[in-house]
Amino acid sequence: MSGPFFFEPTVDLIRSTVDPLSGDRTGRFGTSLGKEIIRQDDTNEMEQEKSQAGHGISVRFTFIIVGVALLIRFLYWGEIHDDELYQTPLLDAAFYDQWAQDLAGITPFDQPVHHQAPLFPYLLSLLYRLFGQSINAIVFFNFGVGALTAVLVAHIAATAFLPKVGRVAGVLAALYVPLFFNEATVMPTSLNVLFHVVILLRAQKLFASPGFKNALWLGIAGGVGYICRAEVVLFLFFLALGFLFHLRKNPRQVLSIAGAATLGILPFLFLFGMYSYSHTEKFRVLPSSDGMNFYLGNNEEAKGTGEPPSTLSRNREEIVVSAERLAEEHANRELTPEEVSTELRNMALDFITENPGEYLHLLLTKAWLFIHGKESCDILHYGFMDQSSYVKRFSSFLFDFKVFGPLAVLGLLLAFNYIKRGAATLYLLILSNLALVLLFAVSTRYRLPSAPAFLCFTAFTLVAIQQCFKNRKAWLRGVSIVFSTCLLAALVNAKSEALMVNHAQVWINVSTIRSRAGNHQEAIEALEKALEADPGAWKAWQLLGENHAELNQFDPAAKAYQASLQRNPENEIAWINLGVLLLEQGRNDEAIATYKAAVQQLPESADSYLYLALVHSELEHWNDALVPARKAMELAPNQVETNNQLAWILLHLPDRTAGQLDEAVRIATKAVRLSNRADEGTLDTLAQALEAAGKSKEAAIIRDEIRNLTRD
């Protein structure tokens, strides 16, 4: 079988008139670099390479790659395993960790999970069942995934180019910093990269030998990858286009292969749909969070990296809630999670259609950032971990995208002749991830899966340079490649304001870990470092106030809350905490003034009104407490606290009417129902209301219920 993408192992890949590894004067897209560079005494070595072309790498070198990969990973682990950021999952990692604990029966998790692909958390839950809730077990599993990925990358490069290129690519994948960094986290990134590599490998086999069996295996690989990360579907789409072009003269074979691939992937689509249906009663085969990601990458303030605009919270723990609020404000009604995603997607589409010029500039920015040297631009801890690891710090000088990127871009141009011999899938992988970046934003999630292809092209360029400098007559060619690499390096590593990392957020994360462990003084030290990095970080000021308050340092706490409010007057938590702090110090008038200012600043905040009512209740200003309590009830009619507080205030009004007493009983009953009869405070309020209404028997039953609850 032959075709434009068919790889024939018997083809003379080392001909001096074919490619940059041997000196093609007639190649296209930058492959014409000089004359014959293979010296006569290299003939035996090159003949051996030719005979091995298309057959991967040797078993001996496979063990070498695995050894190098595991060595660098465990050296890195040895340095960071005691680090706070390693031991405590945060943000997305915490979400997956809690989800897996729920699946393993360790700790219940009540957050919606239907918007994420389920494979990784189910795998985590299996590891938790086997080894307990151990971060090390997850990381060691990921290290094995990383070593396997490096071996497969070597085989892919050897098949697409030469065994020598494969060996170099395997070592580069073993040492590539972003890969082993992400493997040391509770994230599906390493598994996602592995599935992309497996799909690459299966696609190479299908391109080389189109047939039902190979297509079926490709579909299965794509299906498993899909339930790990849904973005893999775009890679499968680009592969389908490649196959259509490859087999365009044989429509029957196209139908056969399409049917086999569909047969392989359909069970996994059905599995994803049933999983979604079990959570939402809707059969869907795409995650429901794509709308928010699309909006993050395409809005008036977008810079290409998915950084939240000013309309959303910059704090990553609060971004989902703020996105829901923004969508509901735009739609002017309450929305389901699916409707929120749709609304945000429509808002992004409005920006695109109304601002075509700005959108075109945004696309060009994303395309440039896609090959930028900062590989993990959206992972705050990536650069920060240099403080904990000499291995990572040293490796970043040699084995990061800022070094590999220019070589990879040059390799993309030099290796274009190999598109007919097995490299087509590598180009398609890069194109599919570029499409994801253009569609959404530059992030590790969308960019790192293309790393295996970039590493193959990097290895190709390195071998080309080595071949040039082995032959004195080809030194000029080698110098030209090095010079071109340097020019590309200037582009790849150019400074970009969009990629500037603010370590303030990392220090905030560190302070959160320390605070949860009860180490409040150390948390304060971390927050002071966060404020050194970014004095305007209102979240850091708020947390500083909370930690000072935990240490009964009231004056520094109050000043910190006030500083937070100066930078973000809509920080509801700071308003509430400042009022509580003043109340605890006996500064009642200041506390009341604080909550009055809060309700003026946040007129739609039920909690601000609730706390104003609570302050007046503490001071037994019952009539003054009634108005804000009713407003809180109006804003949050199904909140336990608002119902219970209003009932309590009605019960204690000095001149209450019979109607107000009946209202207190009714609202207290509702509060008990909302709390599932599991809260002693709401039950006590109801008991007192019943007694005041003359219903002593019913009140006695409630008191018995309280005693039983206390006993349990």
Side-chain angles (χ1 to χ4, degrees):
M1 182 65 62
S2 63
F5 296 99
F6 178 55
F7 177 73
E8 299 179 82
T10 58
V11 171
D12 184 357
L13 298 182
I14 319 299
R15 287 178 298 173
S16 62
T17 58
V18 171
D19 59 69
L21 297 184
S22 57
D24 179 14
R25 288 186 58 109
T26 60
R28 297 178 297 163
F29 298 96
T31 61
S32 178
L33 294 173
K35 298 182 179 180
E36 170 73 45
I37 64 169
I38 305 300
R39 295 179 298 175
Q40 189 63 34
D41 57 357
D42 290 329
T43 302
N44 293 336
E45 176 189 350
M46 302 311 292
E47 288 296 329
Q48 184 179 2
E49 288 281 316
K50 286 190 292 182
S51 67
Q52 296 173 356
H55 295 286
I57 59 173
S58 66
V59 174
R60 180 176 65 88
F61 216 87
T62 297
F63 281 108
I64 291 175
I65 292 173
V66 170
V68 171
L70 294 180
L71 176 63
I72 193 72
R73 282 155 175 75
F74 279 103
L75 286 175
Y76 176 60
W77 174 82
E79 291 184 313
I80 68 165
H81 71 279
D82 288 330
D83 193 277
E84 296 159 310
L85 292 174
Y86 171 85
Q87 295 178 337
T88 309
L90 296 169
L91 305 174
D92 288 352
F95 177 86
Y96 284 115
D97 174 61
Q98 292 166 7
W99 185 359
Q101 289 185 50
D102 181 38
L103 294 172
I106 299 173
T107 306
F109 186 46
D110 57 359
Q111 291 191 32
V113 296
H114 60 273
H115 62 280
Q116 294 286 1
L119 178 63
F120 183 68
Y122 276 86
L123 179 62
L124 279 188
S125 69
L126 176 61
L127 292 174
Y128 286 165
R129 289 179 185 275
L130 293 175
F131 304 105
Q133 190 182 348
S134 168
I135 299 296
N136 287 339
I138 301 165
V139 171
F140 293 167
F141 173 82
N142 283 341
F143 284 172
V145 167
L148 177 59
T149 299
V151 171
L152 295 181
V153 167
H155 280 275
I156 288 168
T159 302
F161 304 117
L162 297 172
K164 180 183 290 186
V165 177
R167 292 192 291 270
V168 175
V171 172
L172 295 182
L175 298 173
Y176 191 47
V177 179
L179 288 180
F180 70 71
F181 168 82
N182 281 282
E183 289 161 19
T185 63
V186 187
M187 290 291 288
T189 308
S190 58
L191 208 59
N192 187 32
V193 173
L194 174 64
F195 286 130
H196 276 79
V197 171
V198 171
I199 294 170
L200 262 177
L201 201 61
R202 299 310 312 180
Q204 276 189 330
K205 291 183 179 296
L206 184 58
F207 271 119
S209 180
F212 185 91
K213 182 179 178 181
N214 283 336
L216 179 64
W217 278 113
L218 175 60
I220 292 172
V224 177
Y226 180 78
I227 61 174
C228 177
R229 279 291 200 186
E231 301 91 58
V232 78
V233 73
L234 196 58
F235 181 32
L236 296 174
F237 173 74
F238 272 79
L239 285 175
L241 293 180
F243 280 113
L244 283 174
F245 181 76
H246 175 34
L247 300 172
R248 61 191 181 280
K249 296 181 180 180
N250 194 340
R252 286 188 178 181
Q253 195 169 34
V254 169
L255 291 175
S256 173
I257 289 175
T262 303
L263 187 63
I265 197 173
L266 269 181
F268 298 96
L269 293 177
F270 180 77
L271 183 65
F272 192 102
M274 291 303 298
Y275 155 78
S276 178
Y277 182 80
S278 67
H279 288 87
T280 65
E281 297 186 352
K282 292 182 179 180
F283 189 89
R284 60 185 324 166
V285 293
L286 285 175
S288 62
S289 61
D290 59 321
M292 187 180 76
N293 293 331
F294 188 55
Y295 176 74
L296 288 174
N298 302 280
N299 59 75
E300 293 82 354
E301 301 176 34
K303 296 180 181 179
T305 60
E307 183 71 15
S310 58
T311 52
L312 298 180
S313 172
R314 297 300 177 97
N315 185 281
R316 297 195 176 193
E317 293 180 338
E318 301 167 359
I319 188 171
V320 174
V321 175
S322 64
E324 291 173 353
R325 187 183 305 121
L326 175 65
E328 290 176 345
E329 289 175 359
H330 191 264
N332 199 28
R333 63 184 180 89
E334 291 188 7
L335 301 174
T336 65
E338 293 81 5
E339 290 174 330
V340 168
S341 181
T342 302
E343 189 69 27
L344 291 171
R345 188 187 308 113
N346 291 337
M347 291 169 64
L349 290 173
D350 289 342
F351 160 72
I352 292 171
T353 55
E354 294 171 7
N355 304 277
E358 290 182 31
Y359 181 61
L360 177 60
H361 180 267
L362 179 61
L363 288 179
L364 294 174
T365 301
K366 291 178 181 179
W368 171 60
L369 294 177
F370 180 67
I371 61 166
H372 196 278
K374 192 173 286 297
E375 172 71 69
S376 299
C377 57
D378 61 321
I379 297 182
L380 297 172
H381 301 168
Y382 183 76
F384 188 83
M385 289 300 286
D386 286 347
Q387 302 178 43
S388 303
S389 172
Y390 290 103
V391 170
K392 181 182 177 299
R393 192 186 315 168
F394 174 76
S395 299
S396 295
F397 284 112
L398 299 174
F399 307 114
D400 207 341
F401 199 78
K402 63 178 178 289
V403 177
F404 293 168
L407 295 167
V409 173
L410 193 58
L412 281 165
L413 304 175
L414 294 176
F416 201 79
N417 272 350
Y418 282 83
I419 200 169
K420 297 182 180 181
R421 306 175 188 167
T425 54
L426 299 176
Y427 284 95
L428 291 173
L429 175 58
I430 291 175
L431 284 174
S432 68
N433 281 275
L434 175 59
L436 274 172
V437 162
L438 296 178
L439 190 61
F440 295 103
V442 179
S443 69
T444 301
R445 173 180 180 179
Y446 301 131
R447 177 175 163 178
L448 195 60
S450 62
F454 277 122
L455 292 173
C456 290
F457 287 116
T458 300
F460 184 93
T461 304
L462 290 173
V463 172
I465 293 173
Q466 183 256 352
Q467 289 292 97
C468 290
F469 283 111
K470 283 181 66 176
N471 190 336
R472 292 181 181 178
K473 295 179 181 179
W475 273 45
L476 182 59
R477 170 182 300 177
V479 171
S480 68
I481 296 177
V482 173
F483 180 72
S484 300
T485 303
C486 292
L487 289 179
L488 286 169
L491 171 66
V492 169
N493 295 305
K495 289 184 178 181
S496 171
E497 183 180 344
L499 295 174
M500 295 297 290
V501 176
N502 186 347
H503 287 310
Q505 183 60 52
V506 186
W507 282 115
I508 290 174
N509 293 344
V510 171
S511 75
T512 301
I513 295 170
R514 294 176 178 177
S515 181
R516 289 173 182 171
N519 302 323
H520 298 292
Q521 187 58 49
E522 294 181 13
I524 289 172
E525 294 171 3
L527 290 165
E528 288 172 346
K529 291 181 179 179
L531 292 169
E532 287 178 11
D534 183 6
W538 59 268
K539 184 71 174 182
W541 285 109
Q542 173 201 312
L543 295 174
L544 186 63
E546 292 176 8
N547 282 279
H548 276 303
E550 290 288 344
L551 296 175
N552 296 321
Q553 299 170 351
F554 297 115
D555 287 339
K559 291 179 181 178
Y561 287 136
Q562 290 164 354
S564 179
L565 291 169
Q566 287 175 358
R567 290 157 178 81
N568 180 15
E570 296 184 356
N571 184 358
E572 183 180 43
I573 295 176
W575 282 114
I576 291 172
N577 289 352
L578 178 59
V580 170
L581 191 70
L582 293 170
L583 193 63
E584 288 177 350
Q585 292 181 281
R587 297 157 66 176
N588 301 332
D589 292 340
E590 293 180 62
I592 292 172
T594 295
Y595 287 126
K596 285 183 176 180
V599 298
Q600 289 178 353
Q601 187 66 46
L602 302 166
E604 300 300 318
S605 168
D607 285 343
S608 297
Y609 285 101
L610 176 62
Y611 274 87
L612 179 58
L614 284 169
V615 172
H616 283 302
S617 298
E618 287 288 327
L619 301 175
E620 298 185 0
H621 300 164
W622 302 110
N623 289 322
D624 292 333
L626 184 60
V627 174
R630 288 196 182 280
K631 183 63 177 178
M633 182 73 169
E634 176 187 332
L635 292 170
N638 294 318
Q639 186 174 314
V640 174
E641 292 81 4
T642 56
N643 282 271
N644 188 61
Q645 188 61 30
L646 179 56
W648 185 256
I649 292 168
L650 289 168
L651 186 62
H652 288 81
L653 287 173
D655 51 352
R656 66 172 183 257
T657 63
Q660 288 173 326
L661 197 55
D662 290 339
E663 184 184 7
V665 172
R666 177 173 54 81
I667 295 175
T669 302
K670 181 182 176 183
V672 168
R673 176 172 53 81
L674 289 171
S675 66
N676 295 318
R677 311 190 77 87
D679 182 76
E680 293 179 36
T682 56
L683 288 168
D684 181 64
T685 301
L686 177 58
Q688 292 195 40
L690 289 169
E691 284 182 350
K695 301 178 180 180
S696 302
K697 290 183 178 180
E698 295 178 36
I701 294 173
I702 298 297
R703 296 220 176 270
D704 288 340
E705 191 173 345
I706 294 173
R707 281 191 288 272
N708 292 333
L709 188 65
T710 305
R711 190 181 304 117
D712 293 341

